[in-house]
Amino acid sequence: MPFPHHLIEGYRVFLDGRLRREQDRYRELAEAGQSPEVMVIGCSDSRVSPEVIFDARPGELFVVRNVANIVPPYAPDGQAHGVSAALEFGVAALKVKHVVVLGHADCGGVKAFAENAAPLSPGDFIGHWIRLMAPAAQRVGPREKLSRPDYLTRLEQANIVNSLDNLKTFPGLRTLMERGQVAIHGAYFGVATGELWVRDETTSAFMQVAATDHARLMAKLR
Ligand SMILES: [Zn+2]
């Protein structure tokens, strides 16, 4: 099978658009290296690209994506840990100032955990991986009284909070947080609505940001 044609077409659009506009920036970043201030830990879901949602330029976001935006707890056990390695690099080498866990609505990984759904769970890796979400489900509690969409939304958001809790188990990051040099944040993207919700540190509730701009746009599109 050849390299997908539409990717080459997309690259042509990139050449004519973004590269044309930002060639100097790419060159500078190549010479000086990257120094992003923000690290994003997001879901691999093709609809939730942090660079698109935050309109980020090259060099602005250090991104790691995985199934269901999970941060595993700190576990220096000699095994290979992709998220932990990226976190170590982002925090210790790049010295990012913010770590954002970006979750989203309609998350297949969260759904798989909630419903133990095929074909996601019986494979070699996914079932084991999404079990890391168990403390999030505990946080949400019994689902009997909740509708399915309500339960999934709560689990998606609790899963973000669980990742934030696990970030605090990394000693290096924890020290920097205590010194006020790094802050961690939770955010939630509503895929169908395009809404962005950010977790309020004092109330722990997810609050919609830029809500007026979003409402204005929606009214225009109607
Ligand atoms: Zn997802």
Side-chain angles (χ1 to χ4, degrees):
M1 243 189 279
F3 191 77
H5 182 68
H6 69 276
L7 294 186
I8 297 171
E9 284 308 307
Y11 174 65
R12 284 208 176 93
V13 174
F14 165 77
L15 284 182
D16 209 35
R18 200 146 190 178
L19 189 64
R20 184 195 289 272
R21 285 195 308 275
E22 309 212 70
Q23 201 182 7
D24 290 345
R25 188 171 168 85
Y26 273 107
R27 223 177 267 135
E28 278 167 33
L29 285 167
E31 279 165 23
Q34 59 168 338
S35 55
E37 288 195 352
V38 178
M39 173 171 184
V40 179
I41 301 168
C43 182
S44 301
D45 192 300
S46 57
R47 303 162 297 178
V48 191
S49 165
E51 294 86 346
V52 173
I53 295 169
F54 297 117
D55 191 29
R57 301 176 67 197
E60 282 185 351
L61 298 180
F62 182 65
V63 176
V64 57
R65 293 170 73 175
N66 64 52
V67 172
N69 45 270
I70 290 173
V71 176
Y74 177 71
D77 54 11
Q79 301 296 310
H81 294 282
V83 179
S84 308
L87 188 64
E88 189 172 82
F89 187 67
V91 170
L94 296 175
K95 303 195 186 318
V96 297
K97 294 192 172 75
H98 302 271
V99 180
V100 177
V101 175
L102 175 65
H104 68 101
D106 197 30
C107 182
V110 170
K111 225 178 277 174
F113 179 88
E115 297 169 358
N116 202 16
L120 285 177
S121 46
D124 288 334
F125 300 105
I126 295 179
H128 184 62
W129 176 248
I130 60 176
R131 272 202 291 278
L132 289 165
M133 223 182 280
Q138 263 171 9
R139 186 188 292 268
V140 176
R143 63 186 290 182
E144 292 93 57
K145 285 184 187 152
L146 297 168
S147 69
R148 181 175 180 268
D150 264 2
Y151 181 74
L152 290 175
T153 302
R154 285 190 197 200
L155 188 55
E156 282 155 358
Q157 296 188 349
N159 178 47
I160 295 168
V161 177
N162 186 46
S163 284
L164 294 173
D165 285 347
N166 286 344
L167 281 174
K168 294 176 200 157
T169 65
F170 287 76
L173 175 57
R174 209 192 157 90
T175 305
L176 292 169
M177 285 171 65
E178 284 163 2
R179 286 190 204 145
Q181 289 173 297
V182 179
I184 62 173
H185 314 272
Y188 180 80
F189 180 66
V191 173
T193 62
E195 291 171 1
L196 183 70
W197 298 67
V198 170
R199 186 170 187 255
D200 186 294
E201 270 176 49
T202 43
T203 65
S204 302
F206 281 84
M207 308 293 290
Q208 193 185 353
V209 293
T212 317
D213 303 65
H214 180 270
R216 202 181 299 131
L217 175 71
M218 290 299 117
K220 237 188 258 173
L221 295 178
R222 236 167 249 142

